[in-house]
Amino acid sequence: MCRQSATVCLVKSPALEGVAGLSLVERLRMLPDPRRRRGVRHPFVAVLLVAASAVIAGARSYAAIGQWSANAPQHALARLGARVTGTLGVRVAPSPATIRRVIALVCPGGLADLTGASPGGADSVAVDGKAARGSRHGQTPAAHLLAAMTGDGQTITQLRVPDKTNEITCFAALLKPYDLSGVTVTADALHTQRDQARFLVEEKNAHYLLVVKANQPGLHRRLRSLPWKDVTARRYDREVSHGRKETRVTRALTVIGLDFPHAVQAVRVLRHRTDLKSGKCSRQTVYAITDLTSQQASPQRLGHLARSQWTIEKRLHLVRDTAFGEGASKIRTGRGPENMATLRNLAINTLRQHGHRNIAAGLRHVSYDPFHRPLDLLNIP
């Protein structure tokens, strides 16, 4: 059974061993075709490549992917491996119904794992969740997707959180297939759990930086009572962006006997923000704990790690909502919500790998030549 526990999958997700260095086409060939053998006309990998190419060209829905497919010229369909008919070898594009059926059926765990980036060599990995609001239907709640992203903005994988539960139950399943040796995993206060800290340090040989809030009241009180005013190990970071000026002061303190597995340092980040238009000032204090010693992580690095956790909202979730309209998407049935989100993650990763810092601008650039550039970016021969 697939490790994606939100819906039962009849096949097991393919192993990730040996996929590094494989092209997208070779990776997708490792996925099992979920369709019944009788009546299959269009190659499974070709349908997925059509969907991936259309999304990176700006398609937001099944209808838009189908329209891209219907207008694709013969040379593009040949590169994508589309179905061949007749003695003249004419390529036939998959219909919108076929595309919708395949995306709704394909194994979400395998698709997310095989199209994501590898965390190997990354300094940090941020974990955070997001609800696809448009997938809510009647009494069925919106699909909640938990994702992991490297510090340089490459999405590793994601999974759908089962209904009537929360992200905590999926944290270990999300990261279990990956080698995280030496990587620092960051997460918000929801994941500040003792079992998850043990999982990261003892099973994955990784490090952690976890935010502490009122959901851990005893630990939060202990951190607040530490002598922060006397701490000399501190770091100041200042920046001006998005119409505001922000100053962050990061203090770190070595702690002994803290009631949390492997915790050796406490961190306090004090954020001062000033709105440049209104002049309004705000202040926020964030506490965190880590198993990194003072020799392994200075206040400067700890501040950078904390910042990388906050940026997953801006570099992944916000991009999917603004550039791809995910919050307004009405895709609801089957595994459609999570698989469409995976295709958007693939598009974001691909554009960033090719130097596009602004994803919306990258999508516009690709849309000017929608039947050549997506295939070239995805390295489809």
Side-chain angles (χ1 to χ4, degrees):
M1 188 173 69
C2 174
R3 69 187 182 89
Q4 300 278 353
S5 57
T7 53
V8 175
C9 186
L10 300 180
V11 293
K12 187 177 180 180
S13 294
L16 297 180
E17 299 176 0
V19 301
L22 296 181
S23 67
L24 177 63
V25 177
E26 293 169 326
R27 292 187 178 204
L28 292 180
R29 285 175 183 159
M30 300 172 64
L31 278 171
D33 189 341
R35 300 172 294 177
R36 296 180 179 179
R37 294 179 61 185
R38 184 176 180 179
V40 170
R41 294 181 176 88
H42 296 276
F44 174 60
V45 173
V47 177
L48 292 178
L49 290 175
V50 165
S53 302
V55 170
I56 202 173
R60 297 185 176 188
S61 63
Y62 292 145
I65 296 173
Q67 186 176 2
W68 186 96
S69 175
N71 287 278
Q74 286 292 300
H75 66 81
L77 294 175
R79 291 178 65 183
L80 294 168
R83 174 189 174 199
V84 181
T85 61
T87 57
L88 297 178
V90 177
R91 300 281 179 168
V92 179
S95 67
T98 298
I99 294 169
R100 181 187 300 110
R101 184 165 55 252
V102 169
I103 294 178
L105 289 175
V106 66
C107 169
L111 186 65
D113 292 346
L114 292 172
T115 58
S118 170
D123 179 61
S124 64
V125 168
V127 176
D128 197 19
K130 172 187 180 295
R133 297 186 300 274
S135 63
R136 183 183 294 108
H137 180 63
Q139 299 299 319
T140 304
H144 193 89
L145 307 174
L146 184 65
M149 187 183 76
T150 63
D152 59 354
Q154 291 290 307
T155 304
I156 300 168
T157 187
Q158 72 174 14
L159 60 80
R160 181 171 178 172
V161 178
D163 298 339
K164 300 181 181 179
T165 184
N166 57 34
E167 298 175 14
I168 297 174
T169 60
C170 299
F171 182 88
L174 180 77
L175 300 176
K176 191 171 183 178
Y178 298 94
D179 180 9
L180 299 176
S181 300
V183 178
T184 302
V185 177
T186 65
D188 58 22
L190 179 65
H191 297 289
T192 306
Q193 307 290 331
R194 288 161 176 79
D195 289 342
Q196 295 183 5
R198 295 188 187 98
F199 164 76
L200 290 173
V201 176
E202 299 171 10
E203 293 187 34
K204 304 304 294 182
N205 196 27
H207 303 288
Y208 66 79
L209 178 76
L210 302 174
V211 175
V212 179
K213 292 184 179 179
N215 63 323
Q216 295 279 356
L219 184 59
H220 189 251
R221 284 194 301 269
R222 177 75 184 277
L223 294 181
R224 290 184 60 185
S225 65
L226 292 174
W228 295 109
K229 292 183 179 180
D230 301 329
V231 174
T232 57
R234 62 183 68 180
R235 167 74 179 184
Y236 291 86
D237 293 289
R238 297 178 176 87
E239 67 177 27
V240 178
S241 63
H242 302 286
R244 66 190 181 199
K245 180 171 63 176
E246 181 173 325
T247 301
R248 297 183 299 276
V249 185
T250 305
R251 291 178 171 88
L253 186 64
T254 299
V255 291
I256 299 175
L258 196 64
D259 184 23
F260 200 86
H262 306 287
V264 295
Q265 274 201 103
V267 184
R268 189 181 82 163
V269 181
L270 185 60
R271 303 163 68 183
H272 295 271
R273 290 179 176 176
T274 302
D275 189 291
L276 297 179
K277 185 175 182 180
S278 64
K280 182 179 179 181
C281 299
S282 62
R283 173 176 170 173
Q284 181 184 21
T285 303
V286 178
Y287 296 96
I289 51 176
T290 179
D291 70 313
L292 294 166
T293 65
S294 58
Q295 289 77 26
Q296 294 173 310
S298 64
Q300 179 179 1
R301 188 186 177 205
L302 292 172
H304 177 74
L305 290 171
R307 186 69 172 169
S308 69
Q309 170 61 29
W310 298 330
T311 55
I312 188 173
E313 288 282 349
K314 180 172 65 176
R315 305 199 69 186
L316 181 63
H317 300 158
L318 182 63
V319 170
R320 292 212 313 244
D321 272 340
T322 56
F324 293 94
E326 183 171 275
S329 174
K330 297 301 181 183
I331 295 175
R332 299 164 176 166
T333 58
R335 302 183 179 97
E338 53 263 49
N339 285 332
M340 279 299 295
T342 293
L343 294 177
R344 296 176 188 122
N345 293 341
L346 173 62
I348 294 170
N349 284 358
T350 303
L351 290 172
R352 287 203 175 118
Q353 289 167 2
H354 287 82
H356 292 281
R357 298 182 62 185
N358 186 310
I359 301 301
L363 291 173
R364 290 193 296 270
H365 173 78
V366 174
S367 69
Y368 301 148
D369 191 1
F371 302 114
H372 286 89
R373 291 178 182 173
L375 281 64
D376 293 339
L377 292 178
L378 293 172
N379 196 26
I380 299 175

